[in-house]
Amino acid sequence: MEQKNALNTSPRPTTPAAPKAAAAEKSSGGASLFSVIVIILAFVVAYVIFKFVLGNGSHFQGGVNTNAPLPGDLLGTVYSGGNIVPILITMFLCVITFSIERLLTISKAKGSQSIEGFVRTVRQKLNANDINGALTACDQQKGSVANVVKAGLLKYKEMVTERGMNNDQKVLAIQKEIEETTALELPMLEKNLVIISTIASVATLTGLLGTVFGMISAFSALAQAGSPDAVKLAAGISEALINTAFGIGTSALAIIAYNYFTSKIDELTYSIDEAGFSIVQTFGQHTTTQTANV
């Protein structure tokens, strides 16, 4: 009989996992669609900027964008970078767009108040054995951290009245609930960061590719019989330098954004771990005290 009960007292039922998995899959699909739409729109905007803003005849000698840009005209100079420029502009716009989106998402995940103050409030409520007060604090805080803490607190209340499990199984059930909720919340914080990290590498390579094309044009001008075409030589060198500068600048911006958001996510993860440890520790102390009193 005892062996049968041990087999049936699983810390986590298997049936509720399906709705969570479905919600995570739906969220992932929505994120992928958003990313595709942003990239396509960024390319369209980049091409329009390249063709009609940078390539406007007013930036070039004779009013034609096939001529050399006017002296000191930055827009015309960038246009002379060639067909690689729209791709680099697309990457730049993607970094800006996804950085703003991540900034808003992470700010929302923090909740209405500071994370440190929220975790401190939860620990105070737990030390006073005020679980309902801690749940109220979660409802007021909102955000990803509060969602994870609230899930752990709800499981805490459930385990207090659970009679078919021993203390170790109850603690394991609380830990597993916190881990599963964290596993659902963290992807929401990290999505689209892979695009930013990819651009950080690809932008430099794309800029170097434009540099190669520019140098090819420059050496083609030098290879002509007779006197070299000075205009074509200057245009080739300009194309190479513009693409290099644009690619390195976009890559640097992507690296800064990626490292910034990664550090913010690490702070949220640490806060979740700290609050989860407090929940498990308080439950262990509570059950130990009850056992001693009995």
Side-chain angles (χ1 to χ4, degrees):
M1 185 65 180
E2 292 180 355
Q3 183 178 4
K4 183 178 180 180
N5 291 335
L7 294 174
N8 291 334
T9 54
S10 174
R12 284 284 302 161
T14 56
T15 51
K20 289 187 177 181
E25 183 177 354
K26 182 179 180 181
S27 175
S28 176
S32 301
L33 180 61
F34 171 78
S35 302
V36 171
I37 292 175
V38 167
I39 293 173
I40 293 175
L41 290 179
F43 178 76
V44 172
V45 172
Y47 181 80
V48 170
I49 293 174
F50 175 76
K51 195 71 176 178
F52 300 103
V53 178
L54 302 180
N56 189 282
S58 61
H59 305 300
F60 300 88
Q61 298 177 5
V64 181
N65 59 19
T66 55
N67 296 334
L70 295 173
D73 193 303
L74 180 61
L75 298 181
T77 303
V78 174
Y79 179 83
S80 63
N83 294 328
I84 297 294
V85 172
I87 300 176
L88 292 173
I89 295 176
T90 300
M91 294 182 181
F92 178 79
L93 293 177
C94 285
V95 172
I96 296 297
T97 303
F98 287 124
S99 295
I100 294 174
E101 185 267 341
R102 285 296 86 198
L103 184 62
L104 295 176
T105 300
I106 293 177
S107 298
K108 183 179 179 181
K110 289 182 178 179
S112 58
Q113 302 174 4
S114 67
I115 294 296
E116 293 80 6
F118 168 69
V119 173
R120 185 164 53 252
T121 300
V122 170
R123 296 182 67 175
Q124 291 174 351
K125 298 294 184 181
L126 288 173
N127 291 335
N129 200 25
D130 184 8
I131 306 302
N132 291 329
L135 288 171
T136 301
C138 293
D139 293 334
Q140 294 174 348
Q141 177 72 12
K142 301 180 181 179
S144 297
V145 177
N147 291 340
V148 175
V149 175
K150 184 176 181 179
L153 292 173
L154 291 175
K155 178 57 68 172
Y156 181 110
K157 291 187 67 175
E158 179 184 341
M159 291 298 103
V160 169
T161 57
E162 176 64 44
R163 301 304 178 191
M165 302 166 61
N166 58 39
N167 290 339
D168 291 338
Q169 290 174 326
K170 291 178 181 180
V171 170
L172 181 60
I174 296 174
Q175 290 176 332
K176 194 168 185 180
E177 180 70 22
I178 294 174
E179 291 173 358
E180 289 183 356
T181 309
T182 302
L184 291 177
E185 293 289 343
L186 284 183
M188 297 294 295
L189 301 176
E190 296 175 347
K191 68 179 181 180
N192 296 331
L193 284 184
V194 65
I195 298 177
I196 296 178
S197 65
T198 301
I199 292 177
S201 301
V202 174
T204 302
L205 297 178
T206 305
L208 292 176
L209 180 62
T211 302
V212 172
F213 290 157
M215 296 308 297
I216 290 174
S217 299
F219 282 107
S220 296
L222 288 174
Q224 292 181 357
S227 60
D229 188 343
V231 175
K232 188 175 181 181
L233 175 62
I237 296 176
S238 177
E239 178 180 349
L241 295 178
I242 289 168
N243 286 314
T244 302
F246 213 151
I248 293 175
T250 302
S251 178
L253 180 63
I255 292 172
I256 293 172
Y258 179 81
N259 289 336
Y260 174 79
F261 293 125
T262 300
S263 65
K264 291 300 180 182
I265 292 173
D266 289 341
E267 290 178 7
L268 294 178
T269 304
Y270 175 78
S271 299
I272 290 174
D273 292 340
E274 184 179 3
F277 176 78
S278 297
I279 294 172
V280 173
Q281 185 182 41
T282 302
F283 182 85
Q285 293 175 349
H286 178 72
T287 53
T288 301
T289 302
Q290 284 185 333
T291 303
N293 291 335
V294 172

